[in-house]
Amino acid sequence: MPTRRDYNTTQRILVTGGAGFLGSHLIDRLLARGDEVICVDNLFTGTKRNITHLLQHPRFEFMRHDVIFPLYLEVDRIWNLACPASPVHYQDDPVQTTKTSVHGAINMLGLAKRVRARIFQASTSEVYGDPSVHPQTEGYWGNVNPIGPRSCYDEGKRCAETLFFDYHRQHGLDIRVARIFNTYGPRMHPSDGRVVSNFIVQALRGEDITLFGEGTQTRSFCYCDDLIEGFLRLMDHEPADGATFTGPLNLGNPVEFTIRELAEAVIDLTGAGSRLVHRPLPADDPKQRRPDITAAQQALGWEPRIQLREGLQQTIAYFDALLKEGKSA
């Protein structure tokens, strides 16, 4: 009996969290290459503004749904991006955050098992916690506080990875797992509490820029377009030897900056007169974060192309327009 794929060469794709920052950029790329996309989002942190330009697209469909509840669709591939990803949002309702990571993974894996779809998990560098190994390789198991204020996100994502690999081993599911390091760009939520959006919004409003601690902690910032390219290469990768390629795979920019250097770059690019003010470090805030992307370079031929100042200029332009429109969500 022929399958749907025998008479329709267009892939039908499900993207959970598709109205979010990264989900909406991913959907743009999927539609541009000819896929049909079902975007699922409960709009807790995502926003319709990110997908307004797609609502009349003939191959796009939006569904308001929370992934902690089962979903029954017929799809070829699943991208599971649903979860609040900034401390402000995931600590707002930590129980819901854990349920989104764990129940959401179970429900999407169950769907993938039923329809035999390849499934992608958007994991995070937070699985490494406050790392004692630097830079972080995929083989590092992490240093995570299981009962701290960030644990709902960190341990939720770690559990999701466990579920993905158990479904792979137990049911032969075709999985891809990416560990995302700090990513920024247009469509970030202006109130998400992430360092790039915080600094840009504060500078554009002429406010002081808040540094937690002395600003000596480090991060590695990857522009969204580079990250989405890595997503697509990982999901589409078919090893020449026919082996299974699951990840987990670090995707991020290996160039490391201190938080103070980021703040100074934002002030320079915006021309703001903002001062740097210091606040105490939040609990369990990692002191350093930089990915080892050797595996992604070797397997996918992928590495970031966009330099920090270039990406910041694009992001500043986005937030400048947003603030001038008087929109804050």
Side-chain angles (χ1 to χ4, degrees):
M1 181 175 180
T3 66
R4 188 181 70 82
R5 297 294 295 137
D6 292 328
Y7 55 82
N8 184 359
T9 57
T10 300
Q11 287 209 326
R12 195 167 194 224
I13 310 294
L14 168 62
V15 179
T16 72
F21 162 44
L22 292 177
S24 61
H25 284 289
L26 173 63
I27 290 172
D28 284 343
R29 289 289 301 273
L30 294 171
L31 290 172
R33 73 182 195 178
D35 294 328
E36 295 179 5
V37 178
I38 302 171
C39 167
V40 168
D41 204 300
N42 68 354
L43 301 181
F44 174 60
T45 59
T47 171
K48 281 190 176 179
R49 184 182 65 246
N50 289 340
I51 56 171
T52 298
H53 63 294
L54 302 174
L55 294 178
Q56 302 304 314
H57 196 291
R59 286 183 279 105
F60 176 80
E61 179 181 349
F62 172 69
M63 179 184 300
R64 188 162 184 169
H65 178 84
D66 193 320
V67 295
I68 70 170
F69 301 104
L71 187 61
Y72 302 98
L73 296 168
E74 303 299 321
V75 294
D76 300 303
R77 288 189 174 185
I78 301 168
W79 297 79
N80 188 37
L81 276 65
C83 189
S86 71
V88 167
H89 290 148
Y90 65 64
Q91 291 175 13
D92 179 65
D93 190 341
V95 172
Q96 180 73 9
T97 296
T98 304
K99 289 169 72 174
T100 299
S101 286
V102 177
H103 288 278
I106 291 170
N107 287 328
M108 291 305 105
L109 287 163
L111 174 60
K113 178 186 172 187
R114 181 178 70 82
V115 300
R116 304 310 300 174
R118 178 175 294 178
I119 181 169
F120 176 98
Q121 168 65 8
S123 190
T124 172
S125 61
E126 299 298 335
V127 301
Y128 299 122
D130 187 4
S132 56
V133 171
H134 191 75
Q136 294 80 59
T137 67
E138 291 87 351
Y140 175 54
W141 289 357
N143 177 35
V144 178
N145 178 359
I147 58 171
R150 301 169 66 100
S151 304
C152 58
Y153 184 68
D154 302 0
E155 295 287 35
K157 289 290 192 177
R158 285 164 68 94
C159 185
E161 285 197 15
T162 299
L163 287 162
F164 266 69
F165 279 89
D166 282 339
Y167 265 79
H168 171 66
R169 286 185 289 260
Q170 186 172 341
H171 301 296
L173 210 60
D174 188 358
I175 67 169
R176 301 288 189 274
V177 177
R179 290 175 176 167
I180 303 167
F181 284 68
N182 293 69
T183 304
Y184 69 100
R187 302 183 194 164
M188 294 182 78
H189 196 293
S191 304
D192 65 8
R194 298 192 218 192
V195 64
V196 173
S197 51
N198 269 4
F199 287 179
I200 292 175
V201 170
Q202 287 176 329
L204 290 174
R205 287 175 172 165
E207 301 170 353
D208 292 336
I209 288 182
T210 306
L211 292 181
F212 292 101
E214 294 302 312
T216 56
Q217 64 270 45
T218 66
R219 296 292 184 271
S220 304
F221 301 103
C222 186
Y223 190 65
C224 55
D225 290 356
D226 281 331
L227 186 78
I228 298 303
E229 177 64 25
F231 277 12
L232 293 167
R233 292 194 191 191
L234 174 57
M235 190 63 149
D236 293 339
H237 184 57
E238 306 286 355
D241 60 2
T244 302
F245 189 82
T246 60
L249 198 68
N250 288 341
L251 292 177
N253 196 320
V255 180
E256 194 172 8
F257 294 90
T258 68
I259 299 302
R260 176 179 286 275
E261 287 173 330
L262 174 68
E264 291 169 348
V266 168
I267 290 172
D268 180 46
L269 291 169
T270 58
S274 304
R275 299 178 304 131
L276 302 181
V277 297
H278 297 270
R279 298 286 184 271
L281 273 173
D284 302 327
D285 189 54
K287 299 177 187 66
Q288 53 187 7
R289 183 63 55 73
R290 177 163 68 93
D292 183 319
I293 62 167
T294 302
Q297 290 170 320
Q298 293 177 346
L300 308 179
W302 176 86
E303 61 184 1
R305 304 292 183 189
I306 298 172
Q307 301 300 313
L308 180 63
R309 289 182 70 89
E310 179 186 352
L312 285 176
Q313 288 174 327
Q314 301 287 339
T315 311
I316 289 167
Y318 169 79
F319 278 116
D320 189 40
L322 197 67
L323 294 175
K324 285 176 179 175
E325 292 171 11
K327 297 179 180 178
S328 59

